[in-house]
Amino acid sequence: MGEMQYALKDKVALVTGGSRGIGLEIARALLEQGARVVICGRKQENLDAAKDILPGGDLMAVQAHVAREADVDRLFAAVAERHSRLDVLVNNVGMNLITPGIADTDLNLWQKIVETNLNGTFLCSRAAARIMRVRKEGKIVSVSSIAGRKASPGMGVYGIAKAGVEMLTRVLASELAGFNIQVNAVAPGMVRTDFSKPFWSDEGIYREVVKTVPLGRIAEPGDVVHPVLFLASPGSSFITGQTIVVDGGASAV
């Protein structure tokens, strides 16, 4: 991934949910680009494991649950103390539990999914915006999902939360444009990570999914990482309020 350059050297970047899956690969790529990276996650053991496998560079790991305001405050205080600024926020934390139809969904299940996916993105974006407004520059990139654009069986509540993330992206882009802060999102289809393993590891489900993708495969983590890096880079300075759909052409047909 190092061949492509995104002019991110010495940029301070926070990746939420950076200890596993797509978040880990985004953190890895940012470090390879020479960025100063902060990752957060809920479990200390996952953060410790991530630090062991990520490449050398300026890396800090902070245990934090993004849906808890006190944790987010502590996370951003740690970033400010170490770096005194923040150039890039990547809202990557996502949580999906297979859910029944809305008519049969328990309120606690609804709240759990909405809190992590939408409230967490709100709390982190709010904290980042307050820092970035002062310096009049910054990039906020959120990881959404095609489930936020098309009703998907078993992913209804998750999709509703991700649709909220995309509207949050547009509202923030509008509000922060005057401060030279760009806010965008990336909406992948199915990606080969542990997060979606129950789907792609089942041969029958995998075949059905791939049938709907013109490029004939599901996404690999790198397919999502590069659009995120582009949106975090100076090359996207006139793009804001947008969601790049990374689905191998599935939504085009």
Side-chain angles (χ1 to χ4, degrees):
M1 217 172 274
E3 324 81 70
M4 291 193 218
Q5 292 301 315
Y6 291 96
L8 292 167
K9 186 167 168 47
D10 293 329
K11 297 287 187 185
V12 178
L14 168 60
V15 182
T16 70
S19 64
R20 294 186 302 168
I22 294 170
L24 180 69
E25 295 311 314
I26 292 169
R28 184 196 306 280
L30 285 164
L31 286 164
E32 287 170 352
Q33 296 284 330
R36 299 171 182 177
V37 178
V38 181
I39 59 172
C40 77
R42 281 188 297 174
K43 295 181 179 166
Q44 189 62 50
E45 61 265 31
N46 290 345
L47 291 168
D48 292 340
K51 285 175 82 173
D52 288 341
I53 60 173
L54 285 169
D58 189 332
L59 173 66
M60 176 168 75
V62 180
Q63 186 181 8
H65 188 335
V66 296
R68 294 184 184 144
E69 191 172 19
D71 278 26
V72 172
D73 289 345
R74 185 168 48 76
L75 168 64
F76 279 81
V79 173
E81 188 180 339
R82 173 131 166 184
H83 296 294
S84 75
R85 71 175 210 269
L86 180 65
D87 301 301
V88 177
L89 166 66
V90 179
N91 287 306
N92 165 72
V93 163
M95 187 262 277
N96 187 27
L97 301 167
I98 303 299
T99 48
I102 296 296
D104 302 306
T105 295
D106 180 76
L107 178 60
N108 287 336
L109 181 58
W110 167 279
Q111 286 174 329
K112 193 172 186 181
I113 294 170
V114 170
E115 273 179 6
T116 299
N117 291 290
L118 183 54
N119 295 6
T121 301
F122 156 67
L123 288 170
C124 291
S125 299
R126 183 180 70 171
R130 288 171 176 174
I131 294 171
M132 293 171 177
R133 274 192 315 201
V134 177
R135 298 184 69 240
K136 290 200 163 38
E137 63 178 331
K139 305 274 188 177
I140 297 174
V141 186
S142 297
V143 178
S144 180
S145 166
I146 57 167
R149 304 178 148 239
K150 184 179 181 188
S152 309
M155 299 177 76
V157 181
Y158 176 75
I160 292 165
K162 289 300 193 184
V165 167
E166 293 195 19
M167 180 50 82
L168 176 62
T169 296
R170 293 196 284 275
V171 171
L172 277 170
S174 165
E175 293 174 350
L176 298 174
F179 297 95
N180 188 33
I181 299 165
Q182 290 82 53
V183 188
N184 294 290
V186 171
M190 190 179 292
V191 185
R192 194 185 301 277
T193 63
D194 286 345
F195 184 82
S196 60
K197 195 169 185 178
F199 297 100
W200 56 257
S201 60
D202 180 303
E203 191 56 40
I205 295 176
Y206 181 81
R207 272 201 310 272
E208 286 306 306
V209 170
V210 167
K211 265 190 219 168
T212 69
V213 182
L215 286 181
R217 63 177 177 85
I218 65 170
E220 301 297 332
D223 294 320
V224 182
V225 170
H226 282 290
V228 169
L229 291 189
F230 164 65
L231 290 173
S233 79
S236 63
S237 63
F238 202 60
I239 299 172
T240 197
Q242 303 304 308
T243 298
I244 297 178
V245 179
V246 183
D247 68 353
S251 58
V253 295

